Amino acid sequence: MRVDAEDPRNRRPYFFLSYAHTPRNDSEVAGPNAWVKKLYDGLCAHILEMTSLPVGARAGFLDQGMALGTRWTDELSENLARCQVFVPLYSPRYFISEQCGREWWAFSQREIYRHTRRGDSRESAIVPALWVPVEVAQLPQVAKDLQFQHADFGEDYAAEGFYGLTKLSYLKDQYELAVYRLAQRIVRASRAVDLEEGQIYRDYESLPSAFGDTAHPPGFDVTVLARCRGDLPDGRVPDYYGETPTEWNPYHPVSTRSLVEHAADLVRAMNFRVTVSDFENEADRLLSSGPPTAPVLLLLDRWALDSPRVKELMAQLAERRRPWISVMIPQHKDDTIPPERDRQLQELTDRLLATRQAAGSGHRSPGGGIRTLEAFAVELQKAVRQAVSYFEAHAMTYPPKGPPADPPWLPRQVHPV
């Protein structure tokens, strides 16, 4: 059967195999990554049998290092944007790789976006595989959240991983069984989740890692200041609101869930533990005079700024200078507002957040607001980076645990005359 290169199914690999390249050992003729290629080839062969892909179509993608002069980052990014399932190959080396962390982050944006647009999915399009078993304590939060049962592929596989099954010849049958079951899971996840193609990131090296940075703070506050359906001013459309401020959904109907839930997932994808709150309820804590306990993302509804209480809170935010609180102001492009009312809201926003124009005062969305869900995700990366940077500059530091120690004594140097 001839492969039609124009058929979109043939441009979308079923899976992207993400792995940490192992340095070559001089004693190995083929090199350690040849065993990963063997696993990849086995998965592709099984998937071709389990699906209607024509012979010659790409069942998967594996980055083996592109030829000199080719733009390998573009090819990698394009396959991350188009593949249907992401298969991270767990090993201790994997979770300290910035490149692998970027690959996971880029794919996770597609899952988060799908969840927001189309609602819950029973199955994730991230299907992990064990190259070498990894202790739970070594896993970043994004991996812990998957709660994947590796024993479903066989007890020997869960104990040894693909590398162990490859190297121990008496476990050859268990290796073949685990490869087959992983291929089955990839095909099932592809059909169950049905991800849309995502963004192709050209500036790939600047992307965050889903495994985070060991130096960044573990916690992050995502809070919202918004109207609720029972407290709307005259003329405001209720479609964007719920019974509480945390149910605010300014990107309705594109989004099927609240913005604070969507933002929390995006922040979790950077390996933070996220606390979600209503800003009015947590104002005393978030605006306290002491040093910060976590960086903060404040999602602000312009329509809430008419409230005297909200004006008071914004005055406190300006007066107490809390640059680790990044302020994001969504304004959906399809949210029709009379021009005069829109001008009034913009003037009110600019006046109450005037101090945010000064250098070092903290992040604030650019004028005109964040018009789309896609733009929100891009702006959130900047807001999170700035909140973390200001938090680290203002957070209280502590000396190392244990009793104080005197500086080491150095003998006096006597120089001959």
PDB file of all heavy atoms in Angstrom, residues 358-381:
ATOM      1  N   ALA A 358       5.737  50.822  37.639  1.00  0.00           N
ATOM      2  CA  ALA A 358       7.123  51.095  38.036  1.00  0.00           C
ATOM      3  C   ALA A 358       7.968  49.826  37.978  1.00  0.00           C
ATOM      4  O   ALA A 358       7.468  48.714  38.192  1.00  0.00           O
ATOM      5  CB  ALA A 358       7.148  51.679  39.445  1.00  0.00           C
ATOM      6  N   ALA A 359       9.240  49.993  37.702  1.00  0.00           N
ATOM      7  CA  ALA A 359      10.160  48.857  37.659  1.00  0.00           C
ATOM      8  C   ALA A 359      10.239  48.211  39.036  1.00  0.00           C
ATOM      9  O   ALA A 359      10.283  48.896  40.059  1.00  0.00           O
ATOM     10  CB  ALA A 359      11.540  49.324  37.205  1.00  0.00           C
ATOM     11  N   GLY A 360      10.243  46.892  39.062  1.00  0.00           N
ATOM     12  CA  GLY A 360      10.368  46.170  40.315  1.00  0.00           C
ATOM     13  C   GLY A 360       9.096  46.064  41.121  1.00  0.00           C
ATOM     14  O   GLY A 360       9.120  45.602  42.264  1.00  0.00           O
ATOM     15  N   SER A 361       7.959  46.475  40.537  1.00  0.00           N
ATOM     16  CA  SER A 361       6.699  46.478  41.287  1.00  0.00           C
ATOM     17  C   SER A 361       5.907  45.188  41.114  1.00  0.00           C
ATOM     18  O   SER A 361       4.885  44.999  41.766  1.00  0.00           O
ATOM     19  CB  SER A 361       5.835  47.659  40.851  1.00  0.00           C
ATOM     20  OG  SER A 361       5.517  47.568  39.468  1.00  0.00           O
ATOM     21  N   GLY A 362       6.338  44.307  40.227  1.00  0.00           N
ATOM     22  CA  GLY A 362       5.630  43.051  40.008  1.00  0.00           C
ATOM     23  C   GLY A 362       4.956  42.999  38.650  1.00  0.00           C
ATOM     24  O   GLY A 362       4.740  44.016  37.993  1.00  0.00           O
ATOM     25  N   HIS A 363       4.599  41.796  38.244  1.00  0.00           N
ATOM     26  CA  HIS A 363       4.006  41.562  36.925  1.00  0.00           C
ATOM     27  C   HIS A 363       2.560  42.017  36.881  1.00  0.00           C
ATOM     28  O   HIS A 363       1.801  41.848  37.829  1.00  0.00           O
ATOM     29  CB  HIS A 363       4.080  40.082  36.569  1.00  0.00           C
ATOM     30  CG  HIS A 363       3.465  39.744  35.245  1.00  0.00           C
ATOM     31  ND1 HIS A 363       4.163  39.815  34.067  1.00  0.00           N
ATOM     32  CD2 HIS A 363       2.211  39.358  34.909  1.00  0.00           C
ATOM     33  CE1 HIS A 363       3.377  39.466  33.065  1.00  0.00           C
ATOM     34  NE2 HIS A 363       2.181  39.180  33.550  1.00  0.00           N
ATOM     35  N   ARG A 364       2.167  42.595  35.738  1.00  0.00           N
ATOM     36  CA  ARG A 364       0.775  42.910  35.455  1.00  0.00           C
ATOM     37  C   ARG A 364       0.550  42.688  33.969  1.00  0.00           C
ATOM     38  O   ARG A 364       1.399  43.016  33.138  1.00  0.00           O
ATOM     39  CB  ARG A 364       0.473  44.357  35.813  1.00  0.00           C
ATOM     40  CG  ARG A 364      -0.980  44.733  35.466  1.00  0.00           C
ATOM     41  CD  ARG A 364      -1.138  46.203  35.168  1.00  0.00           C
ATOM     42  NE  ARG A 364      -2.310  46.419  34.319  1.00  0.00           N
ATOM     43  CZ  ARG A 364      -2.823  47.616  34.044  1.00  0.00           C
ATOM     44  NH1 ARG A 364      -2.271  48.695  34.549  1.00  0.00           N
ATOM     45  NH2 ARG A 364      -3.860  47.720  33.247  1.00  0.00           N
ATOM     46  N   SER A 365      -0.610  42.135  33.630  1.00  0.00           N
ATOM     47  CA  SER A 365      -0.928  41.902  32.210  1.00  0.00           C
ATOM     48  C   SER A 365      -0.822  43.195  31.421  1.00  0.00           C
ATOM     49  O   SER A 365      -1.141  44.272  31.936  1.00  0.00           O
ATOM     50  CB  SER A 365      -2.349  41.359  32.071  1.00  0.00           C
ATOM     51  OG  SER A 365      -2.478  40.129  32.734  1.00  0.00           O
ATOM     52  N   PRO A 366      -0.395  43.127  30.163  1.00  0.00           N
ATOM     53  CA  PRO A 366      -0.313  44.331  29.335  1.00  0.00           C
ATOM     54  C   PRO A 366      -1.693  44.921  29.079  1.00  0.00           C
ATOM     55  O   PRO A 366      -2.714  44.258  29.241  1.00  0.00           O
ATOM     56  CB  PRO A 366       0.327  43.819  28.040  1.00  0.00           C
ATOM     57  CG  PRO A 366       0.031  42.355  28.013  1.00  0.00           C
ATOM     58  CD  PRO A 366       0.029  41.916  29.449  1.00  0.00           C
ATOM     59  N   GLY A 367      -1.733  46.178  28.668  1.00  0.00           N
ATOM     60  CA  GLY A 367      -2.995  46.860  28.385  1.00  0.00           C
ATOM     61  C   GLY A 367      -3.829  46.105  27.376  1.00  0.00           C
ATOM     62  O   GLY A 367      -3.312  45.516  26.433  1.00  0.00           O
ATOM     63  N   GLY A 368      -5.146  46.135  27.583  1.00  0.00           N
ATOM     64  CA  GLY A 368      -6.037  45.414  26.682  1.00  0.00           C
ATOM     65  C   GLY A 368      -6.387  44.025  27.159  1.00  0.00           C
ATOM     66  O   GLY A 368      -7.273  43.379  26.605  1.00  0.00           O
ATOM     67  N   GLY A 369      -5.712  43.550  28.200  1.00  0.00           N
ATOM     68  CA  GLY A 369      -6.042  42.249  28.755  1.00  0.00           C
ATOM     69  C   GLY A 369      -5.564  41.093  27.915  1.00  0.00           C
ATOM     70  O   GLY A 369      -4.975  41.258  26.844  1.00  0.00           O
ATOM     71  N   ILE A 370      -5.817  39.889  28.412  1.00  0.00           N
ATOM     72  CA  ILE A 370      -5.387  38.651  27.752  1.00  0.00           C
ATOM     73  C   ILE A 370      -6.592  38.111  26.992  1.00  0.00           C
ATOM     74  O   ILE A 370      -7.567  37.652  27.588  1.00  0.00           O
ATOM     75  CB  ILE A 370      -4.885  37.644  28.790  1.00  0.00           C
ATOM     76  CG1 ILE A 370      -3.829  38.301  29.694  1.00  0.00           C
ATOM     77  CG2 ILE A 370      -4.293  36.420  28.110  1.00  0.00           C
ATOM     78  CD1 ILE A 370      -3.511  37.512  30.934  1.00  0.00           C
ATOM     79  N   ARG A 371      -6.526  38.121  25.676  1.00  0.00           N
ATOM     80  CA  ARG A 371      -7.721  37.974  24.844  1.00  0.00           C
ATOM     81  C   ARG A 371      -8.116  36.533  24.536  1.00  0.00           C
ATOM     82  O   ARG A 371      -9.263  36.277  24.194  1.00  0.00           O
ATOM     83  CB  ARG A 371      -7.517  38.727  23.533  1.00  0.00           C
ATOM     84  CG  ARG A 371      -7.094  40.187  23.701  1.00  0.00           C
ATOM     85  CD  ARG A 371      -8.217  41.050  24.200  1.00  0.00           C
ATOM     86  NE  ARG A 371      -9.174  41.345  23.146  1.00  0.00           N
ATOM     87  CZ  ARG A 371     -10.316  41.998  23.357  1.00  0.00           C
ATOM     88  NH1 ARG A 371     -10.661  42.373  24.573  1.00  0.00           N
ATOM     89  NH2 ARG A 371     -11.139  42.245  22.350  1.00  0.00           N
ATOM     90  N   THR A 372      -7.196  35.593  24.616  1.00  0.00           N
ATOM     91  CA  THR A 372      -7.517  34.210  24.273  1.00  0.00           C
ATOM     92  C   THR A 372      -6.926  33.264  25.308  1.00  0.00           C
ATOM     93  O   THR A 372      -6.007  33.600  26.051  1.00  0.00           O
ATOM     94  CB  THR A 372      -6.969  33.820  22.886  1.00  0.00           C
ATOM     95  OG1 THR A 372      -5.533  33.830  22.939  1.00  0.00           O
ATOM     96  CG2 THR A 372      -7.454  34.775  21.809  1.00  0.00           C
ATOM     97  N   LEU A 373      -7.437  32.037  25.310  1.00  0.00           N
ATOM     98  CA  LEU A 373      -6.929  31.009  26.216  1.00  0.00           C
ATOM     99  C   LEU A 373      -5.480  30.669  25.896  1.00  0.00           C
ATOM    100  O   LEU A 373      -4.672  30.413  26.796  1.00  0.00           O
ATOM    101  CB  LEU A 373      -7.813  29.763  26.090  1.00  0.00           C
ATOM    102  CG  LEU A 373      -7.823  28.757  27.236  1.00  0.00           C
ATOM    103  CD1 LEU A 373      -8.235  29.410  28.543  1.00  0.00           C
ATOM    104  CD2 LEU A 373      -8.757  27.601  26.906  1.00  0.00           C
ATOM    105  N   GLU A 374      -5.131  30.678  24.611  1.00  0.00           N
ATOM    106  CA  GLU A 374      -3.747  30.404  24.211  1.00  0.00           C
ATOM    107  C   GLU A 374      -2.817  31.509  24.700  1.00  0.00           C
ATOM    108  O   GLU A 374      -1.719  31.242  25.206  1.00  0.00           O
ATOM    109  CB  GLU A 374      -3.647  30.263  22.698  1.00  0.00           C
ATOM    110  CG  GLU A 374      -4.379  29.062  22.119  1.00  0.00           C
ATOM    111  CD  GLU A 374      -5.869  29.320  21.891  1.00  0.00           C
ATOM    112  OE1 GLU A 374      -6.367  30.405  22.252  1.00  0.00           O
ATOM    113  OE2 GLU A 374      -6.532  28.421  21.356  1.00  0.00           O
ATOM    114  N   ALA A 375      -3.242  32.766  24.560  1.00  0.00           N
ATOM    115  CA  ALA A 375      -2.434  33.893  25.034  1.00  0.00           C
ATOM    116  C   ALA A 375      -2.290  33.859  26.553  1.00  0.00           C
ATOM    117  O   ALA A 375      -1.254  34.255  27.098  1.00  0.00           O
ATOM    118  CB  ALA A 375      -3.062  35.213  24.585  1.00  0.00           C
ATOM    119  N   PHE A 376      -3.311  33.386  27.233  1.00  0.00           N
ATOM    120  CA  PHE A 376      -3.248  33.271  28.687  1.00  0.00           C
ATOM    121  C   PHE A 376      -2.122  32.333  29.114  1.00  0.00           C
ATOM    122  O   PHE A 376      -1.367  32.621  30.040  1.00  0.00           O
ATOM    123  CB  PHE A 376      -4.586  32.773  29.240  1.00  0.00           C
ATOM    124  CG  PHE A 376      -4.607  32.605  30.726  1.00  0.00           C
ATOM    125  CD1 PHE A 376      -4.874  33.679  31.566  1.00  0.00           C
ATOM    126  CD2 PHE A 376      -4.346  31.363  31.296  1.00  0.00           C
ATOM    127  CE1 PHE A 376      -4.878  33.522  32.946  1.00  0.00           C
ATOM    128  CE2 PHE A 376      -4.348  31.197  32.670  1.00  0.00           C
ATOM    129  CZ  PHE A 376      -4.627  32.277  33.502  1.00  0.00           C
ATOM    130  N   ALA A 377      -1.996  31.193  28.433  1.00  0.00           N
ATOM    131  CA  ALA A 377      -0.949  30.231  28.781  1.00  0.00           C
ATOM    132  C   ALA A 377       0.443  30.826  28.572  1.00  0.00           C
ATOM    133  O   ALA A 377       1.348  30.595  29.371  1.00  0.00           O
ATOM    134  CB  ALA A 377      -1.117  28.959  27.956  1.00  0.00           C
ATOM    135  N   VAL A 378       0.617  31.593  27.498  1.00  0.00           N
ATOM    136  CA  VAL A 378       1.913  32.231  27.231  1.00  0.00           C
ATOM    137  C   VAL A 378       2.218  33.281  28.288  1.00  0.00           C
ATOM    138  O   VAL A 378       3.325  33.345  28.839  1.00  0.00           O
ATOM    139  CB  VAL A 378       1.920  32.859  25.823  1.00  0.00           C
ATOM    140  CG1 VAL A 378       3.196  33.655  25.597  1.00  0.00           C
ATOM    141  CG2 VAL A 378       1.770  31.781  24.751  1.00  0.00           C
ATOM    142  N   GLU A 379       1.223  34.106  28.604  1.00  0.00           N
ATOM    143  CA  GLU A 379       1.416  35.168  29.598  1.00  0.00           C
ATOM    144  C   GLU A 379       1.661  34.586  30.984  1.00  0.00           C
ATOM    145  O   GLU A 379       2.425  35.145  31.781  1.00  0.00           O
ATOM    146  CB  GLU A 379       0.188  36.083  29.624  1.00  0.00           C
ATOM    147  CG  GLU A 379       0.326  37.314  30.497  1.00  0.00           C
ATOM    148  CD  GLU A 379       1.375  38.298  29.984  1.00  0.00           C
ATOM    149  OE1 GLU A 379       1.671  38.274  28.773  1.00  0.00           O
ATOM    150  OE2 GLU A 379       1.891  39.067  30.805  1.00  0.00           O
ATOM    151  N   LEU A 380       1.035  33.458  31.281  1.00  0.00           N
ATOM    152  CA  LEU A 380       1.213  32.838  32.589  1.00  0.00           C
ATOM    153  C   LEU A 380       2.668  32.444  32.837  1.00  0.00           C
ATOM    154  O   LEU A 380       3.163  32.570  33.960  1.00  0.00           O
ATOM    155  CB  LEU A 380       0.291  31.620  32.709  1.00  0.00           C
ATOM    156  CG  LEU A 380       0.376  30.860  34.030  1.00  0.00           C
ATOM    157  CD1 LEU A 380      -1.014  30.520  34.554  1.00  0.00           C
ATOM    158  CD2 LEU A 380       1.192  29.574  33.878  1.00  0.00           C
ATOM    159  N   GLN A 381       3.364  31.990  31.807  1.00  0.00           N
ATOM    160  CA  GLN A 381       4.775  31.636  31.988  1.00  0.00           C
ATOM    161  C   GLN A 381       5.581  32.839  32.485  1.00  0.00           C
ATOM    162  O   GLN A 381       6.397  32.722  33.405  1.00  0.00           O
ATOM    163  CB  GLN A 381       5.366  31.137  30.675  1.00  0.00           C
ATOM    164  CG  GLN A 381       4.809  29.817  30.193  1.00  0.00           C
ATOM    165  CD  GLN A 381       5.441  29.415  28.875  1.00  0.00           C
ATOM    166  OE1 GLN A 381       6.666  29.451  28.718  1.00  0.00           O
ATOM    167  NE2 GLN A 381       4.612  29.070  27.905  1.00  0.00           N
TER     168      GLN A 381
END
